[in-house]
Amino acid sequence: MNSLDWAVLIGYFGVMIAIGVWSHKRVDDVSDFFTAGGKMPWWLSGISHHMSGYSAVMFTGYAGIAYQYGITSYVTWSFPIAIGIAIGAQLFAGRLNRLRSRLGVASPLEYLKSRYNLPTQQALAWSGVLLKIVDVGAKWAAIATLLSVFTGISLNQGILITGVITGIYCTVGGLWADALTELGQFVIQLLAGVAMLVTVMGELGGFSSLWTVWERLPDSHTQPTVGPYTLTFLLAYLFIKTFEYSGGMWNQAQRFMATRNAREARRSARLSAALWFVWPAVLFFPMWVAPLLVETRRPDASDAYALLTERLLPHGLLGLVIVGFFSHTMAMCSSDANAISAVFTRDIAPALSAKARDWSHRAGLLAARLSTVAFLGLSMAIATQVNSPTFKDIITIVIKWVAGLVGPISIPFLLGMLRFFRKSGPTAALGSWAAGLFAFWLTNYGLSDVQLQIQIVSPVATSLVLFVLLGFVRPEDTPERDAVLARINSDDDGPEGPTGAAGAAGAAASVAIPGQGDGAGTGAGAWARDGDGARDGDGARGGA
């Protein structure tokens, strides 16, 4: 990198901070901070959902897979994600939006206290928060790895730089800042990705290289499944990513909750799915043909894309591509930070502290920002240990830890919204969660020589089977829980939602659990008792 590249990078950081400061003016309370007040356009939500779904791991870990195995990196990664989001558009996106518009909640997990009970909500909240600290730590390490290739700065210095910049804009601006920066990041990545594609094609003989270059690559590069990435792995990944990217990891759920109504949430999901079908293939092509152009230095080839850009791109354009690396990681990490802050502020803190149950909007907003900073700090600390024997390497965390653990957390959360699973109550939710975590430990650490696809699918499959089975063996449906499901599953989604300003408060009140008035403030409609009704519901925000 020279001074021109640094100017591009520093300019990018400055724009991100400026967007955060501008977004600060749109944040009046926790509803604005966590769900954009239900006013986000569907197209912005869709782009934000797409951008928050992958990070610089795409340009490190998956670049290594593309370098070694070819098109299987697309077939077994972005393709099943696209299919999973398309499925989620029909099953979950609209229902997730109704959590906000019907039940008046600002955190995806707030409804779990009404749907199950407080222990279930807390189990999913705590385990999800711990998982995301590790997951986001891997993302910081990925971008710091790339930064070290280009600049020579240490891993820890790279983690500190990216973490601090992200912390500034996402802490002051909330979900609005996340979405708007992700829109800018998408434009930057579009320019950088196309520039890289054109440059590589020119190096290999022009546009015709798209179909002629494969003769010069190993035969395995054109096989859809190869090596450890088998057909079984593909099916397992599709199964897992359907839950994860349909809202199971919470930050994607927030994008659907932030739209005006369920119909727009579904449109948002379809746009994200379409982007996942097309855009990763554009980014992957230079990685697939990289063996013809560069020789990697790392055993896992995770430096392939970085070496490719250094060799082919002129200064200035190189800086733009590096900005593209940052854009994905910062998008995912900031969105995760906002989601975790929502869960801590709205679900965990009120269960731990009586004072937190009576926070004013101002106090709640301050708690949201402080918890965002705390989450980013913890994940950055984890990032410094990402290559330790415990975690092994970046791609291990992303594939094994996240893919393996997302199922036990997301299945009670997402399937709990569907009428078909109405009989699955707290026993099924907690039992499936605990069994899934045990299956993860057993296949990853308790047994030896377990195939990769078994490691990642066993936890989610165990959780799914037990969630359904325990629902039939020990049904726990009640009129109160059925009332929650009725509000989530109603199809009456007009342009301004079904309830209007007055109805949002009634919707929240109608799903409160009789006999469980513990004041925890974590159920649907919580935080609506400081004098302004269901302020956090979408009706009170103008019927958005």
Side-chain angles (χ1 to χ4, degrees), residues 24 27 33 171-174 341 345 364-374:
H24 180 75
V27 178
F33 193 83
T171 299
V172 299
S341 176
T345 306
L365 190 55
L366 177 61
R369 288 182 166 131
L370 290 176
S371 58
T372 301
V373 172

Side-chain angles (χ1 to χ4, degrees), residues 100-396:
R100 177 194 58 77
S101 63
R102 300 289 179 83
L103 307 186
V105 303
S107 159
L109 299 192
E110 276 187 86
Y111 99 104
L112 291 178
K113 186 189 170 190
S114 300
R115 175 59 180 86
Y116 301 111
N117 57 17
L118 183 61
T120 301
Q121 180 202 46
Q122 294 300 298
L124 268 62
W126 279 102
S127 56
V129 166
L130 295 175
L131 172 61
K132 290 310 293 183
I133 289 174
V134 175
D135 178 32
V136 173
K139 306 303 190 302
W140 293 135
I143 191 61
T145 299
L146 285 172
L147 192 60
S148 67
V149 172
F150 292 110
T151 67
I153 67 174
S154 69
L155 183 71
N156 290 348
Q157 289 173 328
I159 292 167
L160 180 63
I161 292 171
T162 53
V164 168
I165 297 296
T166 303
I168 292 174
Y169 80 74
C170 76
T171 299
V172 299
L175 191 64
W176 272 117
D178 289 348
L180 291 172
T181 54
E182 284 158 1
L183 175 61
Q185 291 158 354
F186 177 73
V187 173
I188 291 170
Q189 184 58 65
L190 181 67
L191 296 174
V194 170
M196 188 65 177
L197 176 65
V198 172
T199 302
V200 168
M201 287 193 301
E203 191 77 9
L204 295 174
F207 185 76
S208 62
S209 63
L210 289 175
W211 58 87
T212 60
V213 73
W214 305 102
E215 298 175 356
R216 300 159 57 187
L217 290 165
D219 291 340
S220 61
H221 259 54
T222 58
Q223 296 178 16
T225 56
V226 65
Y229 307 102
T230 62
L231 178 61
T232 304
F233 177 91
L234 169 61
L235 296 176
Y237 214 62
L238 171 60
F239 185 53
I240 292 168
K241 293 304 175 181
T242 298
F243 289 102
E244 179 180 347
Y245 280 77
S246 295
M249 289 303 280
W250 308 343
N251 59 321
Q252 286 90 358
Q254 284 182 299
R255 272 64 187 166
F256 301 142
M257 294 172 68
T259 59
R260 296 182 182 275
N261 53 47
R263 183 175 66 87
E264 291 203 359
R266 289 190 291 269
R267 294 178 71 185
S268 166
R270 294 185 188 115
L271 173 59
S272 181
L275 290 173
W276 273 101
F277 270 119
V278 177
W279 185 238
V282 175
L283 297 178
F284 266 133
F285 181 79
M287 304 178 198
W288 294 333
V289 300
L292 301 176
L293 300 171
V294 296
E295 184 175 347
T296 62
R297 302 165 188 165
R298 296 175 181 266
D300 61 356
S302 61
D303 58 345
Y305 199 81
L307 294 172
L308 200 63
T309 57
E310 277 194 318
R311 175 187 167 183
L312 298 181
L313 297 182
H315 292 293
L317 193 55
L318 174 61
L320 185 65
V321 171
I322 296 172
V323 164
F325 297 157
F326 278 96
S327 67
H328 283 299
T329 299
M330 296 173 76
M332 174 172 277
C333 294
S334 62
S335 66
D336 280 331
N338 188 271
I340 295 305
S341 176
V343 170
F344 177 82
T345 306
R346 304 283 293 197
D347 304 316
I348 293 176
L352 297 177
S353 169
K355 291 183 179 180
R357 300 167 198 165
D358 296 316
W359 275 336
S360 64
H361 286 295
R362 183 175 180 180
L365 190 55
L366 177 61
R369 288 182 166 131
L370 290 176
S371 58
T372 301
V373 172
F375 169 77
L376 290 172
L378 288 171
S379 63
M380 289 162 63
I382 289 292
T384 64
Q385 306 299 315
V386 75
N387 289 314
S388 69
T390 301
F391 298 125
K392 293 186 179 179
D393 52 44
I394 295 169
I395 202 65
T396 296

Side-chain angles (χ1 to χ4, degrees), residues 92 95-96 99 111 413-419 485 489:
F92 304 119
R95 291 176 172 89
L96 286 166
L99 295 182
Y111 99 104
F413 166 52
L414 290 175
L415 297 188
M417 296 188 296
L418 305 182
R419 281 197 183 103
L485 289 174
N489 286 273

